[in-house]
Amino acid sequence: MKETAILYCENNFGKMDGKTTNGLVRSSNKYQILGVIDSSKVGVDTGEFLEGKKNNIPVFSSLDHALEMLPTVPDHFIYGIAPSEAFLKSEQRNVILHAMENRINIVNTLHEFFTEDKEFVACSLKNNVKITDVRKPPLKKDMHLFSGKILDITTPVIAVLGTDGAIGKRTTSVLLEEALAEKGLKTALIATGQTGLIQGARYGVAIDAIPSQFMTGEIENEIMKAYDTEQPDIIIVEGQGALSHPAYISSCAIIRGSRPGAIIVQHAPKRKFLGDYNFMKMPTLQSEIELIETFSKSNVIAVTINHENMTHTEIDKAVIEIETQNNLPATDVLTHGCDKLLASIFTSYPELESLQKKVLVN
């Protein structure tokens, strides 16, 4: 049975910085989500708000409101906001302390480690609760340098990259994993961010918390761990940031460490500026594809759309335009599913289609 959790996402549910909460509401193998805290959206059903279909996960105005309405106290309080500054504000500290006073374990997704905060540690000890810093890296002596072992595996590796951060790479990765599994293929998903790890990914690392010297080695190590343990038919690697993004180097490390044979690119056609960097224009899809293919020496095989601020008509139009301009299949996986992605993967790796047919026959 899953342990229960409440998600803190004040003023950010459904927005870019609420991506951790948004992702956990959509899918969580590790926790049973009881509700979301966001006083700006009290009373809405989170599934209906995000995807137009109810999931019976409500939004509460505060932690006290949640504790009053829920039949049981949640096992965990998850900080579900991913702000660019990655540090707590004073009112947020008070909410976390209040959660611990109610004997709720804390799951921290920030770069600011709660286990190194004297006030938080004292409160956790007093109330016998556990603090988990999801992004806290292992000691350097336990990290891995690139070994080259990835060069010897023959399993197809697909990376899901994008034109910006918080653009839907993880969501596409998760849905693609599910679609491949439905075809009977054994798939290993490598999570590279805090949300994927909290969702319950068996393999992964919060890559943006790793010193640059060890980034490629840590990605390679997680892939090799999945390869040796699972012997998967295909490996999906979640991207981070964007290769062109001036503030992040995560995509560079992911490409170098995973050595993908094929790449899917996620793009938001209506997004004009980089998230949290509104002084910088978004790259064009064409320029990002060219950069990715030049850097990785691999082919982009499909494009996926983030439909933020788009109508269904605009989504359909964008799909046609992208396919025409780039000669690549395009889809919005949340509205149209993963069929085009599967087709592009099977075209690139016909042995997978043969294996799929064999599995379905059996």
Side-chain angles (χ1 to χ4, degrees), residues 150-334:
I150 189 79
L151 303 175
D152 296 327
I153 72 170
T154 57
T155 301
V157 176
I158 311 290
V160 181
L161 306 180
T163 54
D164 192 11
I167 206 165
K169 298 178 289 290
R170 176 193 41 76
T171 298
T172 292
S173 299
V174 170
L175 293 177
L176 179 57
E177 179 194 26
E178 293 174 356
L180 287 162
E182 288 176 1
K183 295 294 184 181
L185 296 173
K186 195 171 187 180
T187 308
L189 173 62
I190 312 300
T192 56
Q194 73 278 9
T195 306
L197 295 174
I198 297 173
Q199 282 180 316
R202 294 186 64 186
Y203 305 99
V205 57
I207 194 65
D208 62 358
I210 302 295
S212 59
Q213 184 179 4
F214 297 97
M215 279 182 164
T216 57
E218 285 295 295
I219 290 291
E220 180 193 40
N221 182 66
E222 288 301 314
I223 292 175
M224 295 310 301
K225 193 189 302 180
Y227 175 76
D228 292 336
T229 304
E230 307 286 346
Q231 289 295 299
D233 299 315
I234 184 171
I235 297 170
I236 305 298
V237 182
E238 172 199 8
Q240 292 293 320
L243 190 58
S244 65
H245 202 300
Y248 308 130
I249 61 171
S250 303
S251 286
C252 172
I254 288 168
I255 290 171
R256 288 181 172 176
S258 67
R259 308 281 295 196
I263 293 165
I264 294 167
V265 176
Q266 180 97 4
H267 180 61
K270 294 289 286 285
R271 192 179 292 188
K272 301 300 181 183
F273 299 93
L274 294 176
D276 296 321
Y277 296 86
N278 58 9
F279 52 88
M280 296 200 71
K281 290 184 178 180
M282 281 280 290
T284 66
L285 176 59
Q286 292 84 355
S287 68
E288 195 72 26
I289 289 174
E290 182 180 348
L291 179 61
I292 288 170
E293 291 188 332
T294 300
F295 184 82
S296 67
K297 308 300 182 186
S298 298
N299 292 326
V300 171
I301 62 170
V303 174
T304 48
I305 292 173
N306 177 320
H307 61 230
E308 62 185 33
N309 302 317
M310 298 178 74
T311 65
H312 287 290
T313 300
E314 288 174 326
I315 293 170
D316 294 340
K317 182 180 178 182
V319 166
I320 294 171
E321 288 179 353
I322 289 170
E323 292 186 334
T324 302
Q325 294 171 4
N326 298 279
N327 195 30
L328 290 169
T331 187
D332 175 354
V333 296
L334 284 173

